[in-house]
C-alpha cells in the first residue's frame, strides 16, 4: 500500500516537504465541520488555509526519478443533525473552487448519532454535482453498524476510507480503498510540530494512486486538463536545478502540478 497522512489543526505547524520526504505520497486536510457557530455559518479548521497552501508546494520523487506533487484531498466532518445541503455548501465554500485537490473530496462520518442514509445522500449528491467527482466516504465499521440507517446500497459505489486498520470491510462495501492507522506518535517524523498523527494506506501501487487522482503516470499520454488544473509530465532528463527554475515560475502562476518540455505558457525547458 501507498503511505499517506491526514491532518488538521491538532498537528500544529506542518512541514509538508518533510512529510513527503518521509514517504507520504498524499495527505487529507481537514477543511470544515457542520457544527454551527455563533453569528451564523459553520466551523472552519483554523489551519486549513495555511495547510492547503503549504501542502501545494510539496513534492515527491518516484524510484525512476519522476517528480509528482504531494497529492491533496480536503475533508468535512459531517454533523448528523444539521441540514445536509447547508453543510455541502459550506464545505465547497471553504475549499478553493479552482483548486480542490488532486484527490476527491471526503465526508467524515463519525458523529455519534443516528443518520438516515437518504439524508446523507443529499450531501453527497450536492458535492458531486458541483465538484464532478465521487465523494470518498471516511468511516469505520463500528460507526456504520451502530449509527447508519435506511437503504445503504448506493454507498457501495463510493470509495471507502476505513478506520481502524485491519478491521473487516463493513457492508455495503466489498473493499477498502484506504486503510487508516489512527493516532500514531510519528507526527514529528512527518514534519508535524505535534506527535499525534494518523497514517493512511492506499490499496495499490503509486501508479494506481496517480490514476485515482487523475494524474498522468510518467511516460504515458499527453498533458491533460483536470478540474481546472493543468498537469505536465517530468522527463528523466530534467536535473534538479532546471526543475526548480521552472517550478519557481510555475508556482508564481499558481496553476501547475507538474512539468514537461512542452511550451506551457510558463516557460520552455529544452531537452538535453
Amino acid at each position: 500500500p501507498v503511505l499517506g497522512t491526514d491532518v488538521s489543526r491538532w498537528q500544529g505547524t506542518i512541514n509538508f516537504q518533510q512529510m513527503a520526504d518521509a514517504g507520504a505520497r498524499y495527505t487529507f486536510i481537514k477543511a470544515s465541520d457542520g457544527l454551527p457557530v455563533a453569528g451564523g455559518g459553520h466551523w472552519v479548521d483554523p489551519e486549513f488555509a495555511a495547510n492547503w497552501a503549504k501542502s501545494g508546494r510539496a513534492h515527491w520523487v518516484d524510484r525512476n526519478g519522476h517528480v509528482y506533487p504531494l497529492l491533496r484531498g480536503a475533508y468535512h466532518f459531517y454533523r448528523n443533525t444539521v441540514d445536509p445541503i447547508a453543510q455541502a455548501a459550506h464545505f465547497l465554500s471553504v475549499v478553493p473552487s479552482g483548486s480542490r485537490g488532486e484527490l476527491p473530496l471526503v465526508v467524515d462520518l463519525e458523529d455519534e448519532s443516528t443518520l438516515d442514509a437518504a439524508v446523507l445522500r443529499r450531501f453527497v449528491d450536492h458535492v458531486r454535482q458541483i465538484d464532478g467527482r465521487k465523494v470518498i466516504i471516511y468511516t469505520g465499521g463500528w460507526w456504520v453498524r451502530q449509527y447508519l440507517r435506511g437503504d445503504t446500497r448506493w454507498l457501495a459505489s463510493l470509495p471507502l476510507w476505513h478506520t481502524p486498520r485491519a478491521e473487516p470491510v463493513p457492508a455495503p462495501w466489498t473493499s477498502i480503498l484506504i486503510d487508516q492507522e489512527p493516532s500514531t506518535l510519528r507526527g514529528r517524523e512527518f514534519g508535524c510540530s505535534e506527535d499525534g498523527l494518523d497514517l493512511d494506506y492506499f490499496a495499490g501501487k503509486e501508479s494506481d494512486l496517480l490514476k485515482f487522482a487523475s494524474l498522468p503516470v510518467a511516460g504515458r499520454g499527453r498533458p491533460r486538463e483536470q478540474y481546472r488544473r493543468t498537469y505536465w509530465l517530468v522527463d528523466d532528463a530534467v536535473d534538479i536545478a532546471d526543475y526548480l527554475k521552472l517550478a519557481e515560475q510555475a508556482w508564481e502562476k499558481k496553476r501547475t502540478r507538474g512539468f514537461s518540455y512542452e511550451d506551457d505558457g510558463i516557460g520552455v525547458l529544452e531537452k538535453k
Side-chain angles (χ1 to χ4, degrees), residues 177-233:
L177 180 68
I178 302 170
D179 244 342
Q180 184 190 68
E181 181 182 357
S183 305
T184 75
L185 296 177
R186 298 177 64 185
R188 295 182 190 277
E189 175 187 345
F190 285 87
C192 304
S193 62
E194 301 296 330
D195 289 326
L197 179 68
D198 299 332
L199 294 181
D200 300 290
Y201 300 85
F202 176 88
K205 299 177 293 185
E206 288 179 352
S207 58
D208 299 318
L209 173 66
L210 293 167
K211 290 176 186 176
F212 179 69
S214 298
L215 274 172
V217 178
R220 297 183 182 180
R222 300 285 297 170
R224 66 184 75 175
E225 186 78 23
Q226 290 287 349
Y227 311 118
R228 300 184 182 180
R229 307 178 82 177
T230 304
Y231 303 92
W232 292 268
L233 306 182

Side-chain angles (χ1 to χ4, degrees), residues 6 15 18 27 30 32 34 60 73 90 92 97 101 122 128 142 154 163 176 181 191 201 217 227 240 243 271:
D6 58 274
N15 181 331
Q18 181 180 335
T27 185
K30 185 169 185 178
S32 55
W60 53 274
H90 172 61
L92 291 164
S97 60
R122 294 177 62 202
R128 184 173 183 180
W142 61 274
W154 62 274
T163 188
I176 295 172
E181 181 182 357
Y201 300 85
V217 178
Y227 311 118
I240 191 65
Y243 166 76
K271 294 184 178 180

Side-chain angles (χ1 to χ4, degrees), residues 4-17:
T5 68
D6 58 274
V7 300
S8 68
R9 65 190 178 101
W10 297 112
Q11 276 63 57
T13 303
I14 304 173
N15 181 331
F16 285 95
Q17 188 55 57

Side-chain angles (χ1 to χ4, degrees), residues 12-68:
T13 303
I14 304 173
N15 181 331
F16 285 95
Q17 188 55 57
Q18 181 180 335
M19 182 177 288
D21 293 342
R25 301 300 182 238
Y26 56 95
T27 185
F28 290 101
I29 302 173
K30 185 169 185 178
S32 55
D33 191 308
L35 186 69
V37 296
H42 305 273
W43 190 85
V44 177
D45 190 298
E47 295 299 320
F48 174 71
N51 284 339
W52 196 251
K54 289 188 296 182
S55 61
R57 296 190 289 270
H59 66 273
W60 53 274
V61 183
D62 72 9
R63 65 183 63 187
N64 297 313
H66 298 114
V67 181
Y68 295 98

Side-chain angles (χ1 to χ4, degrees), residues 141-160:
W142 61 274
W143 187 91
V144 172
R145 290 186 291 271
Q146 189 168 351
Y147 298 109
L148 191 59
R149 300 289 182 268
D151 185 358
T152 63
R153 290 174 294 178
W154 62 274
L155 284 163
S157 66
L158 301 180
L160 175 62

Side-chain angles (χ1 to χ4, degrees), residues 53-145:
K54 289 188 296 182
S55 61
R57 296 190 289 270
H59 66 273
W60 53 274
V61 183
D62 72 9
R63 65 183 63 187
N64 297 313
H66 298 114
V67 181
Y68 295 98
L70 179 66
L71 307 181
R72 299 176 297 168
Y75 72 92
H76 171 83
F77 190 101
Y78 188 88
R79 298 288 175 171
N80 298 349
T81 59
V82 177
D83 179 79
I85 300 302
Q87 291 193 72
H90 172 61
F91 184 26
L92 291 164
S93 72
V94 173
V95 185
S97 60
S99 175
R100 291 203 172 109
E102 295 77 24
L103 298 174
L105 299 174
V106 180
V107 56
D108 180 348
L109 301 178
E110 295 181 85
D111 187 2
E112 297 184 0
S113 60
T114 301
L115 175 62
D116 190 302
V119 176
L120 173 63
R121 189 166 192 171
R122 294 177 62 202
F123 173 94
V124 169
D125 287 350
H126 187 80
V127 171
R128 184 173 183 180
Q129 181 181 13
I130 302 301
D131 182 61
R133 298 173 289 180
K134 287 185 177 182
V135 174
I136 295 175
I137 303 294
Y138 170 86
T139 193
W142 61 274
W143 187 91
V144 172
R145 290 186 291 271

